[in-house]
Amino acid sequence: MLYDSVVLFAKALQDLDNGKYVEKFPVISCDDISKGTDGTSIINYMKSNKVVGLTGLVHFDGQGFRSSFVLDILQLSKQGLKKIGAVLPGSNINITDIIEAEPTTEYFLEHRKYTITTILNKPFTMLKNSPKKLIGNERYEGFTIDFIDELSQILHFSYEIRVVADGKYGVQVDKQNNVWNGMVGEVLSGVADMAIADLTITSTREKVMDFTLPYMNTGISILFKKPTEKVKSLFSFLSPFSAEVWLYVMVAFLGVSFVLFIVGRLSPYEWDDVNPCRQDEKIEENYFTLLNSMWFTIASLMQQGCEIAPRSSATRTATSIFYFFTLIMISSYTANLAAFLTIEKVVYPIESAKDLAKQTKIKYGCLAGGSTKTFFDTSTIDTYRKMSAYMEKHPEVLMESNEKGKEEVYKGNYAFLMESAPIQYVTERECNLTQIGGLLDHKGYGIGTKKGNGTLSAWLSGGILKLQEQGVLHTLRERWWKQKRGGGRCVEAPSGTVRELGLGHVGGVFVVLLIGVLLAAAMGVLEFLWKYKKYASSEEDIGKLMVEDIKFALTCSSSVKEIHKFKRKKLESSQSTMADVNDIRFGYSDFSSG
């Protein structure tokens, strides 16, 4: 158009020169409103001339409007721009060709270039370490950069990355005029088409922006410095077992001791003749007294020898089962004790946000402008409201960036509240830092676009779903969290978390011991009945012997008894000898009492 106007003006000057001699043009000044005498003539020549220029026919009507021009109608196709018709003078449209509309595909964003605003924050967006001077998108690397690249390859769009000017995510600074700062403000003002970073989807931001589906889930947690002092205890040897297991071990010790004492006194095979040379009167002694039974049990538990040895089947059964119980318990204790003595336990002064809110010794804060601070300010939970009031009262605990918060944590006596994704990145590389407790809330990172541009958000959400289905997002997270830039440096060995053995670990051993003790008691009763059934002459003799023997067994005063012989009325078998009669015992008395 500029070229055609110059051509038209030159032709008007030539026509003016042919029709009138122009000696010179006067000086024209805008200040004194002076004008040339031939200006009207030049305009008239320009109105009357017709020139075919680059823009077609150049011709003006009497009022000075270019009314007789032709516009080409172009349509964008995969082959480029193609003419399909024209707009003729008089606003008449002439369509000469029709290109069928192509179906909507994933190439909807093709041939479009977008400005993307982001923020420098590890590992999402970082500056590259390079000896060469880099320009454009090549200056940056990180999870967000790879994510944008993968998304652009799927949706076929180009982009330009720029870091947000004020270094903020975006909060509302003026509610009356709806003014936002940070990345949100740049999208709202049109400086950027979309914001791709660790930008949290919140209800307040959703009112002024359109968000895609979240490409990463996260939540607020606590970044804290690991204590340097280890906990030492004089009674660390008790750590391998829980208090419940130790209680059951004591019960098992006392129970087995009592069973050995009762069964040993009831069984006739555990009584020894003190003086076998005296046939007229026998004095027998039992070694399984209450104290001796407890000594035998504790010696077995400590895997030491003992001068007492069981002889009857009942006592040997109880002893064998207790030996098995001792074998398993001592082996479990020894194995777990080694781990507890070599690994010193670290005790943290806080375990959760509730512990943090209760105390006053440790300071805590978060990012000054962001969703974390908004979460505490708008929360209705008492603990979080108390924490919000603390941060409002002490503004020095609020940090300008996550990096500043990490530096403050390193100084000690400070806990920084930030989202779990960057915390996991830091703790993978900074071995002196750790994450305390779980997540305070659950939210996600999304791509923010200008309100009303739902088509763009929909296509971006579709691209995010494809990347999730293909496992690309998981691969990118593994790459930038655990591999790149020193990832995986602070992976703790599994032995670092030794737990005490509870009843669920060794409960089966107690069950076996209980069954064995009951079996031994049953065998002791059978031995007791069998001995008297074999030698007694009548039912009355059996009952009397049983009652007196049980009374003596349950009496803990003595382990020595005097045995008087008595004569049976008649032996039922002729093969019975006098020795059998001499073995009959009746009429117990306490030997110690005479």
Side-chain angles (χ1 to χ4, degrees):
M1 293 179 66
L2 182 61
Y3 174 82
D4 289 349
S5 64
V6 173
V7 170
L8 181 62
F9 180 70
K11 192 175 184 308
L13 284 178
Q14 185 178 3
D15 293 341
L16 177 65
D17 184 57
N18 293 333
K20 178 183 178 182
Y21 176 74
V22 179
E23 194 173 318
K24 68 176 182 178
F25 284 101
V27 179
I28 301 174
S29 175
C30 296
D31 297 332
D32 55 3
I33 317 180
S34 62
K35 62 180 181 178
T37 56
D38 298 317
T40 304
S41 300
I42 294 176
I43 292 177
N44 291 333
Y45 277 114
M46 291 178 67
K47 287 182 179 180
S48 61
N49 283 331
K50 293 182 180 180
V51 178
V52 179
L54 297 179
T55 60
L57 179 63
V58 180
H59 175 64
F60 296 91
D61 57 16
Q63 297 171 345
F65 292 101
R66 184 182 178 185
S67 57
S68 58
F69 60 88
V70 179
L71 297 178
D72 292 337
I73 301 176
L74 307 178
Q75 183 173 350
L76 181 64
S77 64
K78 279 193 173 183
Q79 291 74 28
L81 293 174
K82 185 176 180 181
K83 181 179 178 180
I84 63 171
V87 179
L88 302 177
S91 300
N92 296 321
I93 298 177
N94 182 24
I95 302 297
T96 59
D97 192 7
I98 297 178
I99 299 178
E100 295 292 336
E102 298 178 0
T104 303
T105 64
E106 64 267 26
Y107 305 113
F108 176 81
L109 305 182
E110 193 172 11
H111 303 302
R112 303 189 184 190
K113 186 175 182 179
Y114 296 98
T115 301
I116 299 175
T117 179
T118 186
I119 189 171
L120 294 177
N121 184 29
K122 299 177 182 179
F124 294 93
T125 304
M126 301 171 287
L127 293 174
K128 278 185 180 179
N129 297 322
S130 176
K132 299 180 181 179
K133 183 179 180 180
L134 303 176
I135 59 174
N137 298 340
E138 294 297 325
R139 294 173 292 171
Y140 310 108
E141 67 176 358
F143 175 86
T144 300
I145 308 304
D146 290 352
F147 172 54
I148 296 173
D149 184 64
E150 294 288 345
L151 203 60
S152 65
Q153 293 182 23
I154 289 181
L155 301 178
H156 298 268
F157 66 87
S158 58
Y159 57 91
E160 178 188 357
I161 299 175
R162 64 184 305 275
V163 176
V164 60
D166 58 4
K168 298 184 180 298
Y169 289 87
V171 293
Q172 194 173 20
V173 294
D174 188 353
K175 294 184 179 181
Q176 292 182 352
N177 300 320
N178 194 27
V179 178
W180 290 67
N181 63 4
M183 292 184 290
V184 178
E186 291 192 351
V187 172
L188 296 182
S189 61
V191 176
D193 298 307
M194 61 183 79
I196 304 182
D198 50 330
L199 184 64
T200 307
I201 303 174
T202 62
S203 59
T204 54
R205 290 173 180 168
E206 185 72 33
K207 295 178 181 178
V208 297
M209 295 179 68
D210 285 336
F211 278 97
T212 63
L213 294 175
Y215 62 85
M216 182 183 295
N217 294 318
T218 183
I220 300 174
S221 192
I222 304 173
L223 181 67
F224 195 67
K225 187 178 180 181
K226 291 182 178 179
T228 55
E229 296 183 359
K230 310 294 183 180
V231 176
K232 299 178 182 180
S233 174
L234 294 176
F235 300 96
S236 59
F237 62 88
L238 297 175
S239 301
F241 288 155
S242 64
E244 185 182 21
V245 172
W246 283 118
L247 178 62
Y248 275 88
V249 169
M250 292 300 299
V251 172
F253 160 70
L254 296 176
V256 172
S257 300
F258 183 74
V259 169
L260 285 175
F261 168 69
I262 296 299
V263 173
R265 291 175 70 88
L266 289 178
S267 176
Y269 302 107
E270 293 294 345
W271 294 89
D272 285 336
D273 193 350
V274 176
N275 191 357
C277 298
R278 297 179 61 181
Q279 297 295 326
D280 55 342
E281 188 177 70
K282 296 177 67 176
I283 300 176
E284 294 185 348
E285 183 179 7
N286 192 306
Y287 293 102
F288 275 98
T289 64
L290 185 59
L291 293 178
N292 284 348
S293 298
M294 296 178 66
W295 171 247
F296 175 81
T297 307
I298 195 66
S300 302
L301 188 62
M302 297 298 178
Q303 295 186 330
Q304 302 298 319
C306 184
E307 66 274 13
I308 304 174
R311 292 181 298 174
S312 67
S313 299
T315 53
R316 287 181 176 180
T317 300
T319 303
S320 300
I321 294 298
F322 189 70
Y323 283 167
F324 171 76
F325 169 81
T326 302
L327 173 66
I328 301 300
M329 295 301 295
I330 294 298
S331 300
S332 303
Y333 175 81
T334 305
N336 215 29
L337 179 64
F340 267 97
L341 294 181
T342 55
I343 298 177
E344 295 177 320
K345 187 178 180 182
V346 179
V347 176
Y348 294 92
I350 55 173
E351 296 292 339
S352 62
K354 185 176 291 185
D355 297 339
L356 197 62
K358 289 180 179 179
Q359 55 82 47
T360 56
K361 183 179 179 181
I362 300 174
K363 298 180 180 179
Y364 54 89
C366 64
L367 202 63
S371 61
T372 303
K373 184 63 168 60
T374 305
F375 166 77
F376 286 102
D377 292 340
T378 59
S379 178
T380 58
I381 301 176
D382 294 338
T383 300
Y384 303 152
R385 291 176 62 184
K386 183 178 180 181
M387 297 174 70
S388 176
Y390 170 82
M391 288 184 280
E392 289 292 337
K393 186 177 179 181
H394 303 85
E396 68 275 5
V397 301
L398 300 177
M399 299 297 154
E400 298 178 358
S401 64
N402 290 337
E403 193 67 24
K404 293 288 185 181
K406 186 187 73 173
E407 294 175 0
E408 194 69 22
V409 171
Y410 258 117
K411 296 178 183 178
N413 205 33
Y414 178 80
F416 188 58
L417 297 154
M418 61 188 297
E419 289 165 356
S420 61
I423 287 181
Q424 293 169 4
Y425 176 82
V426 170
T427 54
E428 283 280 343
R429 292 155 180 80
E430 308 287 344
C431 301
N432 293 330
L433 302 180
T434 186
Q435 178 178 339
I436 297 294
L439 301 181
L440 276 62
D441 65 343
H442 297 275
K443 50 194 174 185
Y445 296 145
I447 302 175
T449 61
K450 198 168 185 178
K451 195 72 173 178
N453 198 355
T455 305
L456 177 60
S457 297
W459 281 99
L460 292 174
S461 297
I464 292 174
L465 289 177
K466 283 191 176 182
L467 293 179
Q468 288 177 342
E469 292 170 356
Q470 296 171 2
V472 175
L473 293 181
H474 176 74
T475 303
L476 293 181
R477 177 148 188 170
E478 290 290 317
R479 177 191 304 169
W480 288 104
W481 263 259
K482 298 186 178 181
Q483 298 174 8
K484 293 277 190 176
R485 297 203 175 191
R489 183 184 303 167
C490 303
V491 178
E492 296 183 356
S495 58
T497 55
V498 181
R499 294 186 302 173
E500 60 186 17
L501 297 179
L503 189 60
H505 299 90
V506 293
V509 186
F510 288 94
V511 174
V512 173
L513 177 64
L514 178 61
I515 295 175
V517 168
L518 294 177
L519 179 62
M523 293 180 65
V525 173
L526 291 177
E527 286 182 349
F528 176 75
L529 296 176
W530 173 254
K531 188 68 176 179
Y532 285 98
K533 179 67 177 176
K534 182 177 180 181
Y535 292 106
S537 60
S538 64
E539 294 295 334
E540 291 78 13
D541 294 333
I542 294 176
K544 188 174 182 181
L545 290 173
M546 286 178 58
V547 171
E548 293 185 3
D549 223 350
I550 290 174
K551 287 182 179 180
F552 183 78
L554 295 177
T555 303
C556 303
S557 59
S558 175
S559 61
V560 180
K561 63 182 179 181
E562 181 181 356
I563 311 299
H564 297 283
K565 294 185 295 180
F566 71 94
K567 297 181 179 180
R568 298 179 61 178
K569 296 179 180 179
K570 182 180 180 181
L571 296 177
E572 295 181 358
S573 175
S574 61
Q575 298 177 354
S576 298
T577 62
M578 194 63 190
D580 295 329
V581 178
N582 292 337
D583 288 337
I584 305 300
R585 300 189 298 269
F586 177 76
Y588 305 109
S589 62
D590 191 349
F591 181 78
S592 60
S593 60

